[in-house]
Amino acid sequence: MKKYGLILFFLLFTFHARAAQKVKITISNPTNRQRQEVVEIPAELLVDVQPLKVGRNQQVFVRNVLGQQVESQVTHDGKLLVYAMVRPHGKAQFTVERGTPNTYRAWTAGAQYPQRADDMAWENDKCAYRMYGPALQRSGERSFGTDVWVKNTPELVVAQRYFQHNDGWKKAQALRKQGRKAEGDSIFTSQSFHVDHGYGLDAYRVGATLGLGAPSILLGDSLVMPYCYRDYEILDEGPLRFTVHLIYNKSTIGVHKNVEEHRMVSLDRGSDFNKLTVWYEGMKGDYHLATGFPIHEEDVTSYEKGKDMLLYADPTDAMKVNNSQVYVGILFPEGVEKTQLQTFSQKHDGAIGHLIGIHHQQNNQPYTYYFGAGWSGSGIISLEDWKLHAKYAMQNIREPLAVTHAL
């Protein structure tokens, strides 16, 4: 009997130990809208929850109510991410367990591309973006802001686009040197990322403007235009979130010397909008910070501005070729002091001015807003349709899904 008692004790202990390796998570939707998005499970719900202690350099995975593993990710700042679909006023339940997760499909990705002047480019299943790097600044080319690469596929395509574009350029140059210019031009067109090959393209003009949503300090009526980043650190590499920290060259802004700009940019699976947090080391006192996008001369009326968002149906950089629209937008969840169309004294790269939102910055606190884009070739049919996307995203930012836990 003593032997069987020890066996029973061992089985009970083992069962308790295994059960203790789990935390049940409930995600609740407080809104009357269907929600499907990446959800952050706060670290405090997992770290120090006895006896799981998830997060202390330990791997975890997540199961749904059927026991299937679902995509999850632990971020650089200790949050556990899970992609959840939750009905209006409904709940979704998951179990977090200690152990090695499966290899998941990547829905987000990003990298530096030295072969294209140190571009920092990233994407999710909806759209792709890039900011320009030190090699481009050394070249003297004046490209300041954020570029948009539209797509109509959930597949990750940026790396392939760079490869095809550069390969086509090399082949074209070789043929041009042989006097076969027309043949070289044809090959380059067949591989250029400025041309739609069935799954999207780079159809957005940046040049000497903010592009889509680059931050800028406003001195009087003048925007202090950002240039190219100096250093970077990729903090999250997917599968559900990409995050990069970009550091810019020190500069003099008004009476402030050695001002260093920092940007933290992240993009989640399924989101039309990036989250951007900016701060400036070396700025003292109060100042005004602005962000926006250029209004191009081919269409100077298809925009909307309000106290918490800016939207525009951009005509693309080659209207007759592209015959489409790139929809761009910026969200200000906490509102801004004012929005305005600030026109240039003369056009810059086909832009007549910037549509901007102006924020009164105090004590150099980090400032957060959201920027994003869509494309008529991916199903957004009008500016009104894009406005619905923007409103949906804003409501979700302001009304996050609720997360609770139980052992």
Side-chain angles (χ1 to χ4, degrees):
M1 292 295 294
K2 183 177 181 181
K3 176 182 177 182
Y4 291 114
L6 288 173
I7 292 174
L8 180 60
F9 173 79
F10 175 76
L11 291 173
L12 288 172
F13 177 81
T14 303
F15 175 79
H16 175 76
R18 288 180 177 174
Q21 304 302 306
K22 302 179 181 180
V23 172
K24 294 181 180 179
I25 296 294
T26 299
I27 298 174
S28 303
N29 180 359
T31 72
N32 60 3
R33 305 180 304 278
Q34 172 70 29
R35 302 285 289 270
Q36 41 203 60
E37 61 204 66
V38 172
V39 180
E40 294 181 352
I41 300 174
E44 58 267 25
L45 294 188
L46 301 174
V47 178
D48 294 330
V49 173
Q50 292 291 346
L52 183 58
K53 293 188 176 180
V54 174
R56 296 190 182 278
N57 299 317
Q58 296 178 8
Q59 289 186 313
V60 297
F61 58 87
V62 180
R63 296 187 189 274
N64 62 18
V65 292
L66 292 178
Q68 299 171 302
Q69 275 202 45
V70 297
E71 292 105 331
S72 62
Q73 177 184 342
V74 177
T75 64
H76 73 280
D77 52 352
K79 297 181 176 68
L80 177 64
L81 306 181
V82 63
Y83 186 78
M85 293 187 290
V86 194
R87 289 173 54 81
H89 301 289
K91 296 180 179 180
Q93 294 182 322
F94 300 91
T95 301
V96 183
E97 302 182 35
R98 184 184 300 170
T100 303
N102 293 336
T103 299
Y104 305 125
R105 168 183 175 171
W107 296 91
T108 64
Q112 186 195 58
Y113 290 89
Q115 65 269 41
R116 222 308 302 189
D118 295 337
D119 287 354
M120 174 57 62
W122 68 97
E123 65 183 309
N124 67 356
D125 49 316
K126 306 294 285 294
C127 197
Y129 307 86
R130 65 171 169 167
M131 292 181 178
Y132 302 112
L136 189 73
Q137 181 159 338
R138 289 194 298 269
S139 76
E141 180 179 335
R142 292 171 60 81
S143 290
F144 298 145
T146 310
D147 196 13
V148 178
W149 286 12
V150 293
K151 53 192 279 190
N152 59 4
T153 171
E155 302 300 324
L156 301 181
V157 298
V158 165
Q160 181 64 19
R161 285 191 192 180
Y162 273 110
F163 173 80
Q164 287 185 182
H165 183 93
N166 291 341
D167 180 66
W169 176 254
K170 291 176 183 178
K171 291 175 180 176
Q173 288 294 86
L175 289 168
R176 289 163 183 159
K177 288 179 181 179
Q178 298 173 22
R180 300 158 64 185
K181 182 178 182 303
E183 189 177 347
D185 291 348
S186 177
I187 285 180
F188 182 61
T189 299
S190 72
Q191 295 188 222
S192 170
F193 54 52
H194 293 291
V195 177
D196 181 16
H197 304 295
Y199 55 91
L201 72 161
D202 172 13
Y204 188 66
R205 270 174 294 177
V206 178
T209 74
L210 293 172
L212 174 55
S216 176
I217 291 176
L218 186 65
L219 290 182
D221 293 328
S222 300
L223 293 173
V224 179
M225 300 294 291
Y227 211 172
C228 303
Y229 73 84
R230 183 187 79 232
D231 296 311
Y232 76 95
E233 182 181 8
I234 293 176
L235 301 174
D236 296 314
E237 299 188 68
L240 296 177
R241 173 176 295 171
F242 172 81
T243 304
V244 63
H245 176 199
L246 300 169
I247 306 169
Y248 288 74
N249 287 302
K250 293 183 179 180
S251 60
T252 297
I253 300 177
V255 298
H256 307 283
K257 300 183 183 299
N258 295 319
V259 176
E260 186 176 71
E261 178 181 332
H262 294 254
R263 300 181 197 174
M264 189 82 75
V265 185
S266 64
L267 180 62
D268 288 354
R269 173 189 175 183
S271 178
D272 288 315
F273 290 88
N274 298 262
K275 180 180 180 180
L276 189 151
T277 299
V278 60
W279 66 98
Y280 296 87
E281 295 182 359
M283 287 294 292
K284 300 176 182 179
D286 295 357
Y287 56 94
H288 284 92
L289 193 153
T291 187
F293 42 74
I295 300 297
H296 288 110
E297 60 184 334
E298 294 88 350
D299 191 337
V300 299
T301 61
S302 296
Y303 68 83
E304 289 196 18
K305 59 186 179 72
K307 63 180 181 181
D308 58 4
M309 67 176 64
L310 303 172
L311 306 172
Y312 179 45
D314 191 278
T316 79
D317 63 355
M319 286 180 61
K320 293 181 180 180
V321 174
N322 296 324
N323 282 308
S324 61
Q325 291 178 306
V326 177
Y327 298 96
V328 295
I330 302 179
L331 308 181
F332 306 105
E334 298 180 5
V336 286
E337 187 174 304
K338 64 178 178 178
T339 58
Q340 65 184 42
L341 176 60
Q342 186 183 59
T343 57
F344 300 143
S345 57
Q346 59 183 15
K347 291 182 295 186
H348 295 320
D349 296 290
I352 61 142
H354 284 113
L355 187 65
I356 57 174
I358 301 172
H359 170 74
H360 184 204
Q361 189 74 356
Q362 295 179 313
N363 301 320
N364 197 27
Q365 294 298 311
Y367 176 56
T368 298
Y369 59 91
Y370 295 77
F371 69 92
W375 184 38
S376 56
S378 61
I380 299 175
I381 60 175
S382 66
L383 184 60
E384 282 300 310
D385 188 17
W386 178 234
K387 187 175 181 179
L388 292 176
H389 282 253
K391 285 186 172 181
Y392 178 80
M394 181 72 86
Q395 289 170 335
N396 291 351
I397 292 167
R398 288 173 170 168
E399 300 177 279
L401 297 174
V403 181
T404 55
H405 78 287
L407 290 177

